[in-house]
Amino acid sequence: MPRLSDTLWDIAVAEVSKNSEEKENEEDLETRERSVFFLGSKSGGKTTIILRFLDRDEVSKPTLALEYTFGRRARGHNTPKDISHFWELGGGTSLSDLAQIPITVDNIRTLSVVLVLDLSKPNDLWQTMEKLLTVTKNHINKTMNELGKKDSININEIKQRSWKNLQKNHPDWELVDPFPLPLVIIGSKYDILQFYSNKSETTVSKLRTVLNNLAFGTDRSKTISVEYNKPLFVPAGMDSLSQIGSPPATEVDLGKINARNPIDLWKKVYERLFPCESTGEFKDIMDPAKVPQYAEPEVDVMRTQKDQELEQYKRNASKSWKEMEFDMHGR
């Protein structure tokens, strides 16, 4: 109730404050949903990270294609639990086309991406990172363009949000092309390289803070660690190319490398030290129909029958082509 002494300005400020408070109260009573998309190196530890974050005491199994799970978190007493949807892409880079499934017009505003790279396999690391980020970014841009035809305001907000972690006076401002959605890159299995134990509560705690921010919108971590003898922890926008320095090569060698920018220079030096050894990941992918945990007797019998029919068809087709070829030569 406005007082007689209140000016028009006082009344307007009070009204805006009241509306904001009512809106916050309404939001507190609504269930908020977010999505987190995990992808990265094959057998890099993505499933283990998700299960550890969700406090699920389960033995992780290889992810054959694309798997889904979810988690809930209460904001407070007598409030709805927020929901986070977790998608995990298996197979390393071989199934990258499936990245389009978790990226939709409905969740693009609340989607985050987590790229897990296996540090124990440096020869495949850069190629895995580059291919998966490129494919994912293409799907994101395609989805954003689709949404932009209906809702250009939200698209502009998403694009502006991708720059918010980088100040305009940042030394790399002109060189940066930020990923369109929140992106976290995790280097897994660092302990295999330097330490005896593969269990570190410090890194688990830090990662939990990061995932809580992506999955449930909690405060973003401001911790930073750039000591290379320890696990690195660098939030977006808190490093720079000048701080990282030049790649490990002599000035003479660097002068011979034709690079477009500092990141391209790092890539070429890295690939000289760790040339890619991957010859294709499709060979290593297990056929889901032959995995014991997915056995279905009736389905498997029918599948065997169909496989036999297919092989017979192939043999018959092969004979037909040979006979046709022989007939053509005979004429």
Side-chain angles (χ1 to χ4, degrees):
M1 183 76 178
R3 296 171 298 180
L4 294 176
S5 58
D6 286 346
T7 64
L8 184 61
W9 178 258
D10 293 329
I11 296 172
V13 170
E15 187 66 24
V16 170
S17 178
K18 178 183 176 183
N19 291 339
S20 298
E21 186 176 342
E22 289 176 352
K23 185 177 180 181
E24 289 178 1
N25 291 335
E26 289 176 1
E27 290 179 348
D28 286 340
L29 296 175
E30 293 178 356
T31 297
R32 292 179 294 203
E33 297 187 28
R34 291 171 178 256
S35 298
V36 184
F37 179 31
F38 280 78
L39 67 169
S41 303
K42 183 179 180 182
S43 302
K46 300 181 291 296
T47 305
T48 302
I49 291 172
I50 295 173
L51 293 176
R52 186 70 183 267
F53 175 68
L54 296 175
D55 292 324
R56 293 182 184 171
D57 187 16
E58 303 174 21
V59 178
S60 61
K61 299 176 183 177
T63 302
L64 298 178
L66 184 68
E67 295 193 2
Y68 166 83
T69 188
F70 67 94
R72 291 192 179 98
R73 183 179 186 272
R75 266 170 280 162
H77 186 61
N78 290 332
T79 59
K81 289 185 177 181
D82 293 334
I83 299 174
S84 186
H85 306 279
F86 293 90
W87 294 88
E88 180 191 353
L89 179 68
T93 60
S94 61
L95 300 174
S96 57
D97 286 345
L98 294 178
Q100 61 184 307
I101 296 175
I103 304 170
T104 67
V105 171
D106 294 329
N107 73 359
I108 194 73
R109 302 177 187 85
T110 57
L111 178 67
S112 301
V113 177
V114 176
L115 177 67
V116 180
L117 299 174
D118 188 344
L119 299 179
S120 69
K121 299 177 181 177
N123 297 82
D124 296 330
L125 188 148
W126 198 291
Q127 184 188 55
T128 297
M129 174 187 69
E130 197 167 59
K131 180 171 182 178
L132 289 176
L133 287 184
T134 299
V135 170
T136 305
K137 189 174 182 179
N138 288 339
H139 287 314
I140 291 171
N141 288 335
K142 182 179 179 180
T143 304
M144 289 176 64
N145 289 336
E146 185 179 345
L147 178 62
K149 297 175 182 178
K150 306 174 184 177
D151 190 351
S152 60
I153 296 177
N154 267 311
I155 287 299
N156 290 330
E157 289 179 356
I158 294 173
K159 291 180 179 178
Q160 291 173 7
R161 189 176 61 190
S162 65
W163 283 95
K164 74 174 184 178
N165 294 322
L166 202 66
Q167 302 296 324
K168 287 190 176 181
N169 60 354
H170 192 282
D172 300 333
W173 178 269
E174 298 296 332
L175 298 172
V176 172
D177 178 20
F179 200 75
L181 296 180
L183 169 68
V184 171
I185 300 178
I186 299 173
S188 65
K189 303 185 182 180
Y190 81 92
D191 52 293
I192 294 176
L193 307 178
Q194 296 186 28
F195 300 94
Y196 171 74
S197 174
N198 64 354
K199 296 180 180 179
S200 171
E201 289 302 323
T202 301
T203 56
V204 169
S205 176
K206 289 180 178 179
L207 182 55
R208 185 177 291 276
T209 301
V210 171
L211 294 182
N212 267 317
N213 171 254
L214 299 181
F216 300 110
T218 59
D219 291 340
R220 180 171 172 260
S221 175
K222 295 182 180 179
T223 302
I224 182 169
S225 176
V226 293
E227 172 56 52
Y228 65 86
N229 284 322
K230 298 179 180 179
L232 300 178
F233 189 86
V234 186
M238 297 185 70
D239 62 349
S240 67
L241 291 169
S242 59
Q243 290 176 316
I244 294 172
S246 301
T250 65
E251 291 186 7
V252 175
D253 289 335
L254 291 176
K256 294 179 181 179
I257 298 175
N258 183 20
R260 296 166 295 177
N261 51 56
I263 302 241
D264 191 37
L265 178 63
W266 264 97
K267 175 187 175 182
K268 291 183 176 179
V269 173
Y270 183 93
E271 290 179 337
R272 282 188 177 186
L273 293 173
F274 302 105
C276 183
E277 297 176 350
S278 177
T279 56
E281 293 176 314
F282 279 109
K283 297 177 182 178
D284 299 327
I285 295 177
M286 192 179 297
D287 184 352
K290 298 177 181 178
V291 180
Q293 72 187 74
Y294 299 120
E296 291 285 349
E298 294 181 0
V299 176
D300 293 341
V301 169
M302 183 60 68
R303 171 64 185 264
T304 302
Q305 179 182 334
K306 293 300 179 182
D307 286 343
Q308 292 173 349
E309 291 176 0
L310 176 61
E311 289 303 318
Q312 184 62 44
Y313 173 80
K314 288 179 180 178
R315 287 193 291 269
N316 292 339
S318 177
K319 290 180 181 178
S320 298
W321 280 105
K322 287 180 180 178
E323 290 173 0
M324 184 180 296
E325 183 179 2
F326 178 79
D327 186 51
M328 290 177 66
H329 285 298
R331 291 181 183 180

